[in-house]
Amino acid sequence: MITLGIDIGSTTSKSVLLKDGKQILESYLVKAGTGTNGAEICFNEILLKANLKIEDLECIVATGYGRNHFKQADFQASELMCHALGTHFLLPRTRTVIDIGGQDIKVITLNDKGMLESFQMNDKCAAGTGRFLDVMSQVLQIKIDNFEEEYFKADNPSVISNTCTVFAESEVISQLAQGATISNVAAGVCNSVASRVSSLVKRQGINEEVSISGGVAKNGGVVDSLEKHLNCNVNRSDFAQLAGALGAAILAYRKKN
Ligand code: ADP
């Protein structure tokens, strides 16, 4: 039985095809999210890659910010539930998931079956989210993928004291004007995100093992800084950005069994 999960996020659409609730057959990611044709591209391309037709799919579950606008879905599910299930599938010892996406942060406590027990979310502010990093990558004129490299090159990370993205942007510009290196400012940006996220994690309570999901998991600088702020290991799977789509595919399987 083949099921499909699609996560239509604020910046990126992701899809995963799952066989019998156990085996990942294919995945696809496109940097176009809610309000674009990202979901359609993601859906068509994954079927093409797997050489499947829509009739071959037993069930489709959509999650993410744009989940209610995806007409091909049989069901919609919350991102919280999908990230919990997807991360538990990838890293079964996980009891706390830190999901950092393009516009929000979620800290989810799981039971040993990967079901959500409780959670915390950030307020509407972009601080600590992928959006904050995206804005800073433009100011620093580095690619989002290069934060990690710059973070580990830093010898004297800048302190970014403003959490508000708009004020922090001015702060970053002024630090660069005063001669701070790109690496030191980039490390300061990663530390600022980790500091913001870790206060949310501490509010929720740390149940080990802790794992990260969402696109910001690709930023090893943020992950390293989070480990220092939380004083524990933060696991990350190469599949972390696809965890929500994977969770949706698992849920699609469970709907039919
Ligand atoms: P959403 O579901 O809201 O679209 P994602 O979980 O897909 O969000 O995460 C998107 C964020 O992930 C981006 O805002 C960006 O900051 C970060 N990101 C994406 N790709 C990379 C990468 N290669 N390296 C570092 N960070 C990344």
Side-chain angles (χ1 to χ4, degrees), residues 16-19 22-27 89-90 239 246:
V16 170
L17 280 170
L18 196 65
K19 187 173 178 212
K22 289 200 238 345
Q23 187 194 349
I24 297 170
L25 291 180
E26 200 59 80
S27 65
F89 180 100
L90 297 166
F239 225 69
L246 172 60

Side-chain angles (χ1 to χ4, degrees), residues 2 32 51 66 71 108 163 172:
I2 300 173
N51 201 16
K71 301 220 168 20
I108 311 163
T163 46
V172 162

